[in-house]
């Protein structure tokens, strides 16, 4: 009743007109509703917010056409013909046609570059088939594409030949097609490895298994498609599927094809629930960006003479806003796909401040990416047997995939380093050995506080204040009596917060909910 409103009050005071630092970031604010200023200075959020009306128009055109096409050309739902490998998945033809138009408007002639990369990846899959070198070639090619895309900023046609210069004149609505291509890269790897594993004895399923309707989401991912489904048409329809192309959530090829062969029934009540959640999240984002200007302050580092608590709240609410903007963006595109009958994983399954475990945090933040990493990197590298080693590979890839720069590499390596204490403590102070100790819950809460602090520091470096800003904040914290008092207050609040988080999870278990995070 006291702490949370006080946190909002402190953050608001740090960004009020009366704060001496206001003039330093005022130029980043725009006019908002009801006479208030609006902090729309986050480029990623501004891009989505400003283009939301256009996206709604595109989705409102796409969905009726998709359902009309399905009703005219799909086999009757009363038959099982889709379950036959001889029955083509005709919906993919509509996906291809719409994606071609959608991506041409988005990226203009750069769609040719996208198709060149997509086709080359398919050629690697088909040439390698069940050859041992195919997975390595897939990874080498796709990681090379990430570096080349970044190095050449999406390329110009003139770089290939002067005769192609005229193609550079049409770059569509967004010339940086390569920024969104990172999500496509994940789909390309998914197709190739799912295809390779369909031949591999460890993953091979009999025709009888493949003909069986998957009973749960896990089977949709692990059960290989029919051999004929690993074709160019379905592959491109998957790689360029319009509702999920720009930002995901990420699906595996097997799951995508499974949902076309064995369609899910998505109740209207579920769709309305997600619509309500999206609207509520959007309104929350608008309120926060009108009430406090955390992103603008962070960008200009306008916190001179602010109290330690005010700076801490600037950092915390920056991280919360990063979570909220990504939640809204991913939820919008997921909802578009849900209305199309395709259910991708929900990316944000917990509030960012409802995490006390570093490992659990990555299961609940960008969950579809986490599931992708587990399937295609973590398990092939040995899974939990080699956890203390392969997390370095995992988070190096995660950093490179997000953006190729030193700040994110530092973030990835810090995450890897900060996860180690939890792994070690989990083995030393396991519940089996210490669970009967009366103060075991409080021991876990102390560990949780340490985890939360380390996660905040790592994400400050990667997505908020950067390395120098983080070092400055830590130095300020330990340079005065006020800093020590603030630190002790925060640690005490986090200790109580951890206890509440424990009870939230116990409550979920009593209701049969097991999120594993």
């Amino acid at each position: 009743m006291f702490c949370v409103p006080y946190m909002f009050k402190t953050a608001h005071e740090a960004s009020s007109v009366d704060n001496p630092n206001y003039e330093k970031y005022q130029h980043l604010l725009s006019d908002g509703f009801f006479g208030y200023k609006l902090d729309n200075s986050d480029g990623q959020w501004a891009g989505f917010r400003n283009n939301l009306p256009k996206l709604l128009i595109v989705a409102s055109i796409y969905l009726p056409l998709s359902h009309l096409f399905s009703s005219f050309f799909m086999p009757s739902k009363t038959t099982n013909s889709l379950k036959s490998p001889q029955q083509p998945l005709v919906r993919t033809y509509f996906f291809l046609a719409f994606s071609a138009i959608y991506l041409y408007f988005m990226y203009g002639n750069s769609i040719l570059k996208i198709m060149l990369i997509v086709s080359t990846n398919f050629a690697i899959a088909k040439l390698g088939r069940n050859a041992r070198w195919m997975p390595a070639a897939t990874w080498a090619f796709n990681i090379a594409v990430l570096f080349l895309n970044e190095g050449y900023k999406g390329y110009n046609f003139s770089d290939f030949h002067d005769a192609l210069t005229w193609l550079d004149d049409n770059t569509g609505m967004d010339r940086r097609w390569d920024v969104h291509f990172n999500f496509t890269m994940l789909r390309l790897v998914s197709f190739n490895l799912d295809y390779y594993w369909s031949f591999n004895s460890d993953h091979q399923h009999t025709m009888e298994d493949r003909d069986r309707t998957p009973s749960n989401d896990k089977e949709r991912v692990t059960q290989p498609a029919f051999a004929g489904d690993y074709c160019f048409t379905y592959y491109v329809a998957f790689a360029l599927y319009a509702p999920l192309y720009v930002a995901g959530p990420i699906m595996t090829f097997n799951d995508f094809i499974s949902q076309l062969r064995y369609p899910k029934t998505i109740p209207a009540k579920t769709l309305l629930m997600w619509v309500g959640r999206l609207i509520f999240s959007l309104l929350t984002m608008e309120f926060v960006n009108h009430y406090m200007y955390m992103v603008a302050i962070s960008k200009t580092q306008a916190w001179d003479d602010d109290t330690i608590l005010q700076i801490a709240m600037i950092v915390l609410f920056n991280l919360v806003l990063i979570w909220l903007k990504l939640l809204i963006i991913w939820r919008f595109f997921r909802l578009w796909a849900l209305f199309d009958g395709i259910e991708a994983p929900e990316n944000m399954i917990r509030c960012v401040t409802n995490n006390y475990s570093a490992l659990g945090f990555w299961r609940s933040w960008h969950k579809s990416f986490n599931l992708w990493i587990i399937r295609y990197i973590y398990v092939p590298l040995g899974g939990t047997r080699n956890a203390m080693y392969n997390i370095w590979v995992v988070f190096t890839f995660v950093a490179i995939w997000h953006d190729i720069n030193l700040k994110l590499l530092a973030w990835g390596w810090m995450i890897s380093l900060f996860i180690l204490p939890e792994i070690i403590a989990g083995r030393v102070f396991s519940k089996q050995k210490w669970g009967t100790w009366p103060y075991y819950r409080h021991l876990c809460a102390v560990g949780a506080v340490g985890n939360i602090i380390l996660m905040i520091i790592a994400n400050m470096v990667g997505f908020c204040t950067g390395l120098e800003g983080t070092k400055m904040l830590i130095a300020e914290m330990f340079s005065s009596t006020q800093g020590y008092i603030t630190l002790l207050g925060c640690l005490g609040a986090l200790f109580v917060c951890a206890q509440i988080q424990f009870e939230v999870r116990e409550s979920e278990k009593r209701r049969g909910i097991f999120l594993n995070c």
Side-chain angles (χ1 to χ4, degrees), residues 40-221:
N40 198 32
S41 58
D42 183 297
Q44 189 179 33
W45 172 248
F48 175 79
R49 182 182 184 273
N50 297 344
N51 287 296
L52 184 57
K54 295 177 185 176
L55 288 169
L56 287 170
I57 291 170
V58 172
S60 64
I61 294 171
Y62 172 92
L63 289 169
L65 290 176
S66 178
H67 287 287
L68 277 172
F69 185 91
S70 298
S71 63
F72 278 111
F73 297 103
M74 285 275 287
S76 171
K77 291 185 178 180
T78 59
T79 70
N80 290 324
S81 55
L82 277 177
K83 299 178 182 179
S84 167
Q86 285 75 41
Q87 178 63 43
L89 300 173
V90 293
R91 289 194 71 194
T92 57
Y93 306 149
F94 173 79
F95 294 165
L96 283 173
F98 192 91
S99 292
I101 298 169
Y102 178 60
L103 295 185
Y104 184 76
F105 273 98
M106 285 278 289
Y107 308 121
N109 293 331
S110 292
I111 192 174
L112 298 174
K113 305 169 193 173
I114 295 171
M115 283 306 302
L116 177 62
I117 296 171
V118 168
S119 300
T120 304
N121 184 76
F122 182 78
I124 291 172
K126 288 298 179 178
L127 290 173
R129 291 191 66 178
N130 59 343
R132 290 187 175 182
W133 55 263
M134 197 267 267
T138 295
W139 278 110
F141 171 72
N142 282 282
I143 289 177
V145 166
L146 286 183
F147 276 92
L148 290 171
N149 283 355
E150 177 67 22
Y152 289 92
K153 305 299 180 186
Y155 324 101
N156 291 313
F157 283 101
S158 57
D159 295 335
F160 298 98
H161 198 280
D162 290 341
L164 301 176
T165 303
W166 63 276
L167 291 171
D168 290 323
D169 295 335
N170 179 13
T171 57
M173 295 171 60
D174 185 358
R175 72 173 304 275
R176 290 302 306 274
W177 63 272
D178 51 296
V179 173
H180 298 142
F181 190 81
N182 286 17
F183 286 93
T184 306
M185 172 262 177
L186 301 180
R187 290 186 277 269
L188 303 191
V189 171
S190 173
F191 173 84
N192 282 24
L193 295 188
D194 282 0
Y195 182 52
Y196 174 77
W197 287 334
S198 71
F199 292 99
N200 187 286
S201 59
D202 294 336
H203 296 78
Q204 211 164 22
H205 287 237
T206 65
M207 185 59 70
E208 184 179 342
D209 289 333
R210 298 185 190 203
D211 196 36
R212 178 170 53 83
T213 303
S215 60
N216 54 52
D217 290 339
K218 185 176 180 180
E219 284 191 4
R220 289 184 182 274
V221 172

Side-chain angles (χ1 to χ4, degrees), residues 283-319:
L283 292 175
T284 302
M285 189 70 164
E286 286 298 299
F287 167 75
V288 174
N289 282 336
H290 280 79
Y291 183 74
M292 57 182 78
Y293 312 128
M294 301 294 97
V295 179
I297 293 173
S298 178
K299 279 193 168 188
T300 56
Q301 297 194 358
W303 45 57
D304 293 343
D305 298 322
D306 283 351
T307 66
I308 293 295
L309 184 60
Q310 285 178 327
I311 298 173
M313 290 304 102
I314 291 168
V315 169
L316 178 65
F317 278 99
N318 254 290
L319 297 177

